Amino acid sequence: MNHFKPAAMSGLLLVAALSACTPDSQENTATQPVVNAENIKAHIAFLADDMLKGRDTGSEGYQIAANYVKSYFKQYGLSPMGEHQGFEQNVTFRKAFLEENGAALSISSESGEHELSYPDQFLASGSALTTESSITAETVFVGYGVVNDAFGLDDYAGLDVEGKVVVMLTGRPESLPSEEGAHIGSSSEKARHAAERGAVGIISLHTPKREKVRAYSVSAKYANGPRLSWLKKDGTPFGKHPQLKGSAYVNHEHAQPLFAGAQRSLAEVFNDDSENKTIKGFELAATVSLSNKSRHEQITSPNIVASIEGSDPQLKDEYVVYSAHLDHIGISEHGDHEDNINNGALDNASGVSILLETARMMATSETKPKRSVLFVVVTGEEKGLLGSGFFANNPTVPATKMVANVNLDMPLILYPSADVIAFGSTHSTLGPIVQAAAEKVDMSLSPDPMPEQALFTRSDHYNFVKAGIPSVFLMTGFKSKDPDIDGGKVFKEFLSTHYHNHSDQIDLPINYQAAASFAEVNLMIGLEIANQAERPKWNDGDFFGKTFAQ
């Protein structure tokens, strides 16, 4: 049984918005549901409980969380939209572990033979493609390894990398816009370009510039963890390139032998990177040997998919998609602290809880949206946006019928936010829609306050973007309704202290009224999209629209 709070001002606004969806819904508006902060609180308390042991992908705790989500979808009367007439869409993963002493990298150049040590001098991970590989090849420096016609980039121009190992800097040119640059400079894009040009391996160089943002030692701490890939119907891992036989990530302090005898020194290249100068590739005089021994496990973990059917005879065949990831990072050691469970209260139990409350309000409203609404709760986000990647490539409704995606990931409900951030809102007509929806509940839309983080490519909506679907990643803004609270300071403190840590749990000072306000905005955005006559469109000439639009 649902319990409703007395309608405060924001609740009255929500009732008015719900009742205004169609002209014939003006009567009995008092029976329309309003957001219930206690529902969100109860959901977060369950999903972030120690019993679930951090909801790691494929774990028993994750399945308990998935069953919990399914039970509420059933209670709200949502239609199952997974596989076999159920709510689950099972995803099969290959889990690749690097064997002990399983990675080796040696460099032969005019400075001599150099055997680098793992993990202090180079990093590698388990291979999803094979349990054992070995290559010896010449090397070519390819700058950042980026290619994009729209921005006139081709780091491979004039270089022959067929049968060779390409050496590239981490990152991308600073001249690129944040969101476009994050896509162009992503590891998946770099690997694709290398494989298409015949390279047989990739060595990525940690740089002094990168060291200031994320120290090599920090990356080394997580080097031994398994890597997951989802498997295609033919049993092969998605997004992997069999031609690439080896890869390594080299500490900037130990990469000099690669450049011995080359036309430019490593110090010159690093200096250009630090000063944001144009960097061109060139032949190297070094030969490298890379080897890797891995072991594989296979696991399954479900996405949970449900829908509310639209009320319009024509538009109900189209879907507004809400998404949120249910998984977190499970159990890990945190120094000497006795608590080794990463509960993920705000990452992302809060997002799933707000999605559930959104589903409840839509499902129990007397007025249904014109378009259908699809709720996709995904697995494997923390492993590399994997569950959403599987769904976007294997949707349970036609991809061309998904008109927009609104993604919820880590809404930081620790203070009364006066604004929302919608990463991706500048790329499509979703921007004005989000702004109009926020204003209806007395909030504003703010621009990305952390463009250097490139968050547009770091959550599940990115896979919907790559499927050609206009998308936004919705997050609480930095403005606070309480003048004594600096929202930006709270947010950055969370990232530095609690993010991916055992302390992201329900004893944080979570503001459940702020969560309720965020749920109102989330609902209003979905209703605005679902009820407008035209589906959202990519802005004219937008990079992502031109790159991925169907």
Side-chain angles (χ1 to χ4, degrees):
M1 180 178 179
N2 292 318
H3 301 280
F4 303 125
K5 293 172 55 182
M9 179 57 70
S10 59
L12 290 172
L13 284 169
L14 189 60
V15 168
L18 285 164
S19 64
C21 290
T22 58
D24 59 355
S25 62
Q26 300 301 316
E27 298 179 3
N28 300 321
T29 57
T31 63
Q32 298 284 5
V34 295
V35 66
N36 187 334
E38 292 301 312
N39 287 346
I40 299 172
K41 182 177 182 179
H43 293 321
I44 294 176
F46 183 90
L47 295 173
D49 191 270
D50 279 357
M51 175 184 67
L52 276 64
K53 299 187 184 303
R55 308 187 307 278
D56 197 9
T57 299
S59 69
E60 181 181 4
Y62 177 87
Q63 188 61 56
I64 292 170
N67 291 344
Y68 180 87
V69 171
K70 285 192 295 182
S71 72
Y72 275 92
F73 283 166
K74 291 176 183 177
Q75 177 182 325
Y76 301 154
L78 272 63
S79 300
M81 296 295 287
E83 300 168 324
H84 312 299
Q85 290 77 53
F87 288 97
E88 292 192 357
Q89 180 193 41
N90 270 311
V91 187
T92 301
F93 297 96
R94 179 170 296 166
K95 200 171 186 178
F97 298 82
L98 183 67
E99 294 277 25
E100 187 174 357
N101 301 318
L105 168 60
S106 62
I107 304 169
S108 177
S109 67
E110 66 177 38
S111 63
E113 300 293 327
H114 305 268
E115 188 81 27
L116 273 62
S117 63
Y118 173 94
D120 56 315
Q121 296 181 347
F122 82 99
L123 304 176
S125 59
S127 168
L129 288 166
T130 181
T131 55
E132 191 164 351
S133 65
S134 179
I135 57 168
T136 297
E138 296 176 351
T139 55
V140 180
F141 176 62
V142 294
Y144 296 103
V146 298
V147 178
N148 188 263
D149 291 342
F151 288 93
L153 297 172
D154 186 357
D155 283 355
Y156 289 86
L159 299 174
D160 177 13
V161 302
E162 183 77 30
K164 299 177 183 179
V165 171
V166 292
V167 177
M168 61 182 68
L169 302 179
T170 188
R172 72 265 186 183
E174 287 292 325
S175 59
L176 289 171
S178 170
E179 295 176 348
E180 291 85 345
H183 169 74
I184 293 168
S186 65
S187 59
S188 59
E189 282 293 285
K190 289 186 177 187
R192 179 172 70 87
H193 294 308
E196 287 175 350
R197 286 156 178 79
V200 295
I202 297 175
I203 292 178
S204 299
L205 304 183
H206 189 73
T207 66
K209 182 178 180 179
R210 178 63 179 166
E211 180 73 11
K212 295 177 181 179
V213 178
R214 180 182 172 90
Y216 177 89
S217 59
V218 173
S219 298
K221 286 169 56 178
Y222 301 98
N224 290 324
R227 300 294 186 268
L228 270 65
S229 305
W230 61 263
L231 299 182
K232 298 183 289 186
K233 291 180 180 179
D234 63 4
T236 59
F238 176 81
K240 304 302 179 183
H241 305 279
Q243 173 153 339
L244 298 174
K245 306 297 184 183
S247 64
Y249 186 75
V250 176
N251 188 327
H252 61 291
E253 296 178 347
H254 300 278
Q256 295 93 334
L258 287 166
F259 288 76
Q263 67 184 60
R264 300 194 72 208
S265 70
L266 180 61
E268 290 174 320
V269 171
F270 281 165
N271 184 68
D272 286 350
D273 178 51
S274 296
E275 295 185 2
N276 300 324
K277 293 181 179 179
T278 300
I279 295 175
K280 298 291 185 181
F282 48 86
E283 299 285 340
L284 297 174
T287 297
V288 299
S289 294
L290 285 161
S291 64
N292 185 291
K293 292 182 180 180
S294 305
R295 64 180 175 89
H296 295 162
E297 293 180 5
Q298 188 162 299
I299 62 172
T300 59
S301 189
N303 294 327
I304 310 300
V305 192
S307 72
I308 295 172
E309 186 177 36
S311 60
D312 186 275
Q314 281 76 43
L315 295 180
K316 70 178 183 180
D317 290 333
E318 297 181 342
Y319 294 85
V320 179
V321 183
Y322 281 110
S323 61
H325 76 90
L326 182 58
D327 66 298
H328 195 51
I329 61 174
I331 294 175
S332 61
E333 298 300 325
H334 297 287
D336 297 328
H337 201 284
E338 62 182 14
D339 184 358
N340 63 359
I341 298 175
N342 298 280
N343 300 95
L346 297 182
D347 184 15
N348 182 41
S350 61
V352 173
S353 299
I354 288 168
L355 180 147
L356 286 172
E357 182 64 358
T358 303
R360 180 192 70 80
M361 289 188 288
M362 279 194 178
T364 56
S365 171
E366 291 182 352
T367 305
K368 295 297 185 286
K370 293 180 179 180
R371 286 185 176 84
S372 296
V373 179
L374 197 68
F375 297 90
V376 185
V377 178
V378 299
T379 186
E381 189 271 351
E382 300 289 3
K383 309 301 183 185
L385 316 184
L386 299 182
S388 59
F390 182 86
F391 180 84
N393 284 274
N394 303 274
T396 58
V397 301
T400 56
K401 297 296 184 181
M402 293 187 285
V403 304
N405 169 236
V406 180
N407 183 53
L408 304 169
D409 189 358
M410 210 171 79
L412 208 70
I413 45 176
L414 296 175
Y415 54 92
S417 179
D419 64 334
V420 295
I421 299 162
F423 301 100
S425 62
T426 59
H427 298 291
S428 71
T429 56
L430 287 176
I433 291 172
V434 173
Q435 183 170 345
E439 289 174 352
K440 287 184 178 180
V441 290
D442 197 28
M443 296 182 80
S444 60
L445 174 65
S446 292
D448 181 357
M450 302 176 292
E452 72 284 354
Q453 295 286 339
L455 294 176
F456 181 67
T457 61
R458 290 175 55 186
S459 192
D460 292 304
H461 65 289
Y462 182 42
N463 283 313
F464 289 92
V465 169
K466 290 194 287 186
I469 301 164
S471 306
V472 288
F473 164 21
L474 200 64
M475 198 173 71
T476 43
F478 284 6
K479 296 177 183 177
S480 174
K481 295 177 181 177
D482 185 338
D484 295 328
I485 298 176
D486 182 340
K489 182 178 179 180
V490 173
F491 202 104
K492 291 171 183 176
E493 182 179 304
F494 176 85
L495 290 179
S496 64
T497 306
H498 306 294
Y499 174 69
H500 282 194
N501 207 321
H502 67 275
S503 57
D504 180 10
Q505 54 191 11
I506 58 173
D507 61 1
L508 287 171
I510 297 174
N511 185 318
Y512 292 101
Q513 288 304 317
S517 295
F518 193 77
E520 289 180 345
V521 175
N522 186 53
L523 174 66
M524 289 306 310
I525 291 170
L527 291 176
E528 288 279 339
I529 301 168
N531 292 318
Q532 66 175 9
E534 292 189 358
R535 61 190 289 166
K537 297 178 181 178
W538 295 100
N539 293 335
D540 289 342
D542 180 76
F543 170 81
F544 292 99
K546 290 172 67 176
T547 303
F548 298 116
Q550 301 170 17

